[in-house]
Amino acid sequence: MSSRITIERHILDQQKLYPQASGIFSGLLYDIALAAKYINREVTHAALVDALGSADSINVHGETQQKLDMFADSTIIRICNSTGRLCIMASEEHDDVIPIPEDYFGGKYALVFDPLDGSSNINVNVGVGTIFGIYRKISSGVYGTIEDVLQPGSKLAAAGYILYGPSTMLVYTTGQGVFGFTLDQTLGEFFLSHPNITIPDKASYYSVNQGRQRYWPEGVRKYIEWLQGLDDPSRPHVDTRYTGSLVLDFHRNLVNGGVFMYPGDMQKPSNISGKMRLVYEGNPLSFIAKNAGGYASDGLQDILTIKPRTLHQRVPLFIGNRDLVQEVERFIATNDGDWMTTYKAQRDGKQ
Ligand code: P6P
């Protein structure tokens, strides 16, 4: 039992690596772990307390908000907004940034999060997740501004996710390795269970919504056929796994090796940049993938180098084994000049 390391013990041990650390950052990570415990409890018994289903409200993306989306969102805000650790927050569920009330001190960090990704899967008991990223404040005032949450992903101080599945796991990185913790439901404590997550060299799966194939740019279609070995039957195929829950699919590819994709497509102009959000989905997961030895691209470049222009900006997402992601960049560069031109103009605000 003595060898079991709690997340608090681990965070404090990690803090020792930074002599100048004040403990504020460690406290913030622990706040997120506490929020995860509340959300875990609500998710696991939602069906028993009428917490499933729609909240009868629509978010900024025109998506029907689930009761659990709202619970997760309000829980993270309630736990994190009064500690004096944050200067501002941004959530998928809010049109604009979430200011810190002036009753509370402004802090040194900015928090971006998707409070409950994949929540439409909950009614069929598929794993769902919370995604978060932490930036150092760069704006000049006492409280933060949107400038603090529109930093490139390369500037993240930390990123992580919680996966509410057969077990509830919290995975995070501060740029010095990727660590996984499993919640002991009987004790209500996260214990270190995956001390050094690195993406395996050999990919086991690819994850994509194959149903949208007809809308993809030509290069993406050819890449998927390459993964399947259709162009060269002598090359082994890569199996596919796709649940429609980003955190679950990403976690599988991180642990087993593989690539998750949500390409931009040509079905309609608003789909050119895909469905994933750069600020609170693409960037945190790309930061984790990089620190686990992987890579993430929008099809043209490293996602972590993109300067976000708007809070809910979408980004095509190819993330996982570096060699597989770089291969799709080659297929797109060879075949998809038109899509690239249109996407880049949209991404860079030049259309
Ligand atoms: P599609 C869930 O709604 C989500 O945002 C991600 O969790 C998931 O990867 C994706 O959308 C699934 O989208 O279009 O394949 O149903």
Side-chain angles (χ1 to χ4, degrees):
M1 179 65 77
S2 59
S3 64
R4 297 180 79 191
I5 299 172
T6 65
I7 190 167
E8 184 179 29
R9 173 76 271 141
H10 182 271
I11 291 170
L12 292 171
D13 289 347
Q14 287 292 302
Q15 183 180 312
K16 292 172 188 166
L17 301 176
Y18 305 90
Q20 75 287 358
S22 63
I24 294 172
F25 184 78
S26 299
L28 173 53
L29 285 172
Y30 202 60
D31 294 338
I32 293 168
L34 176 59
K37 294 176 191 176
Y38 278 103
I39 297 167
N40 168 70
R41 184 179 66 181
E42 196 70 6
V43 166
T44 48
H45 72 229
L48 302 175
V49 293
D50 188 30
L52 288 177
S54 163
D56 296 330
S57 55
I58 304 288
N59 65 17
V60 63
H61 320 292
E63 298 162 344
T64 301
Q65 292 175 306
Q66 304 293 305
K67 292 176 189 173
L68 285 171
D69 290 326
M70 308 310 290
F71 175 86
D73 180 69
S74 60
T75 297
I76 294 169
I77 293 169
R78 173 171 55 82
I79 287 177
C80 294
N81 76 353
S82 59
T83 61
R85 297 177 173 125
L86 292 177
C87 63
I88 201 162
M89 287 185 256
S91 164
E92 177 176 59
E93 301 303 336
H94 293 250
D95 301 10
D96 201 348
V97 290
I98 304 161
I100 300 300
E102 292 190 1
D103 309 8
Y104 306 127
F105 291 111
K108 296 168 50 179
Y109 298 98
L111 177 69
V112 299
F113 60 95
D114 181 352
L116 201 62
D117 180 87
S119 54
S120 56
N121 287 307
I122 284 185
N123 64 326
V124 293
N125 209 19
V126 166
V128 293
T130 297
I131 306 169
F132 66 90
I134 300 170
Y135 288 100
R136 296 173 188 85
K137 183 176 185 292
I138 56 172
S139 59
S140 54
V142 172
Y143 294 101
T145 69
I146 195 163
E147 176 191 9
D148 297 301
V149 295
L150 292 186
Q151 300 180 59
S154 57
K155 298 294 187 186
L156 279 163
Y161 58 85
I162 297 96
L163 175 57
Y164 310 98
S167 65
T168 291
M169 276 192 73
L170 188 154
V171 174
Y172 88 93
T173 181
T174 60
Q176 306 290 330
V178 178
F179 307 98
F181 301 82
T182 298
L183 182 63
D184 181 326
Q185 308 267 5
T186 60
L187 293 175
E189 185 56 89
F190 281 102
F191 289 95
L192 184 65
S193 53
H194 298 66
N196 178 26
I197 298 177
T198 51
I199 194 164
D201 291 337
K202 185 180 181 307
S204 297
Y205 304 111
Y206 73 89
S207 302
V208 71
N209 180 347
Q210 207 81 43
R212 301 190 63 79
Q213 183 165 324
R214 61 192 265 214
Y215 308 123
W216 294 336
E218 180 63 19
V220 174
R221 277 201 297 275
K222 287 184 174 178
Y223 173 69
I224 299 292
E225 290 174 2
W226 176 80
L227 286 172
Q228 294 167 341
L230 282 177
D231 62 317
D232 174 2
S234 68
R235 191 174 67 251
H237 73 278
V238 178
D239 284 317
T240 184
R241 293 281 188 282
Y242 188 77
T243 67
S245 195
L246 171 61
V247 173
L248 196 164
D249 287 327
F250 173 76
H251 182 72
R252 182 198 308 106
N253 289 316
L254 190 72
V255 172
N256 287 346
V259 56
F260 172 91
M261 295 165 265
Y262 207 101
D265 70 43
M266 324 289 265
Q267 183 187 18
K268 52 189 176 185
S270 61
N271 284 11
I272 284 283
S273 298
K275 178 179 185 181
M276 298 299 140
R277 316 294 172 174
L278 175 58
V279 171
Y280 41 76
E281 292 174 335
N283 274 336
L285 296 182
S286 300
F287 189 71
I288 294 164
K290 176 183 177 183
N291 282 282
Y295 173 56
S297 172
D298 64 351
L300 281 61
Q301 68 185 70
D302 181 345
I303 279 186
L304 296 175
T305 63
I306 299 171
K307 171 68 175 70
R309 287 186 302 103
T310 60
L311 193 51
H312 302 292
Q313 178 175 338
R314 295 166 185 249
V315 68
L317 183 60
F318 303 90
I319 186 168
N321 285 76
R322 173 173 287 276
D323 60 334
L324 290 186
V325 177
Q326 288 175 330
E327 191 65 34
V328 72
E329 290 179 329
R330 282 188 281 275
F331 273 90
I332 288 171
T334 307
N335 297 279
D336 297 329
D338 292 347
W339 171 81
M340 285 169 61
T341 303
T342 309
Y343 162 63
K344 276 195 73 176
Q346 191 176 88
R347 180 189 73 183
D348 302 340
K350 294 175 179 151
Q351 67 186 48

